Amino acid sequence: MAGPETPKLMVDTIVPSEEGEVLLIRRASDPYEGQWALPGGFVEVGETVEEAAAREAEEETGLKVEIVRLVGVYSDPDRDPRGHNVSCAYLARVREGEPEAASDAAEVAFLDPSTVDLAFDHEKIIADALSGGAPPTY
């Protein structure tokens, strides 16, 4: 007998540059194909959310990153058109590598997030990350 349906767990990684830009990918697939987004994806069985955040960042951008801190947990049931997905968002810094588009990314660049249309709720996540974190929710 199957258990209850629960939300899927995701991660998003915010990697700011010293110039105030943020590492973004142009999505290569739906939802939001062609729009800019944070590197991220689903947590795999057997890994921590921090490991998933670093893995997804490397898979999508070619950069090895170091997780700095949790920004917040984003759980609005309508945040993702694919269904109820909960994302743990992490602030990170580049350890090594050069940005290069990889899986699920048509393009990767450090951009001023206010100059592009962002997918999902990534505008809020970036604002929370750059302001010092999300306010607590109850």
Side-chain angles (χ1 to χ4, degrees), residues 22 25 33 58 61 67 94 117 122 131 133:
V22 174
I25 62 158
E33 182 177 355
E58 184 174 2
T61 72
I67 301 302
V94 177
D117 284 329
H122 292 181
S131 71

Side-chain angles (χ1 to χ4, degrees), residues 69-86:
R69 67 172 174 83
L70 176 69
V71 170
V73 177
Y74 298 82
S75 61
D76 183 329
D78 298 322
R79 66 178 298 276
D80 189 326
R82 295 170 291 193
H84 189 181
N85 296 322
V86 175

Side-chain angles (χ1 to χ4, degrees), residues 1 4 8 34 41 44 59 63 71 76 81 89-90 93 103 129 138:
M1 183 167 154
K8 292 180 178 62
E44 295 177 356
E59 284 179 2
L63 295 171
V71 170
D76 183 329
Y90 286 91
R93 64 176 150 255
S103 71
Y138 300 97

Side-chain angles (χ1 to χ4, degrees), residues 1-100:
M1 183 167 154
E5 182 180 350
T6 62
K8 292 180 178 62
L9 185 58
M10 305 186 75
V11 291
D12 289 300
T13 307
I14 306 96
V15 183
S17 71
E18 291 180 12
E19 294 76 32
E21 296 176 321
V22 174
L23 184 67
L24 298 172
I25 62 158
R26 188 184 295 272
R27 291 185 54 83
S29 58
D30 278 329
Y32 301 109
E33 182 177 355
Q35 279 191 269
W36 291 96
L38 292 165
F42 292 97
V43 177
E44 295 177 356
V45 172
E47 72 181 346
T48 67
V49 287
E50 295 85 358
E51 290 167 344
R55 174 186 52 78
E56 285 287 349
E58 184 174 2
E59 284 179 2
E60 295 183 357
T61 72
L63 295 171
K64 290 187 185 303
V65 301
E66 175 186 357
I67 301 302
V68 174
R69 67 172 174 83
L70 176 69
V71 170
V73 177
Y74 298 82
S75 61
D76 183 329
D78 298 322
R79 66 178 298 276
D80 189 326
R82 295 170 291 193
H84 189 181
N85 296 322
V86 175
S87 184
C88 298
Y90 286 91
L91 186 68
R93 64 176 150 255
V94 177
R95 279 193 5 237
E96 62 182 81
E98 292 297 322
E100 185 176 332

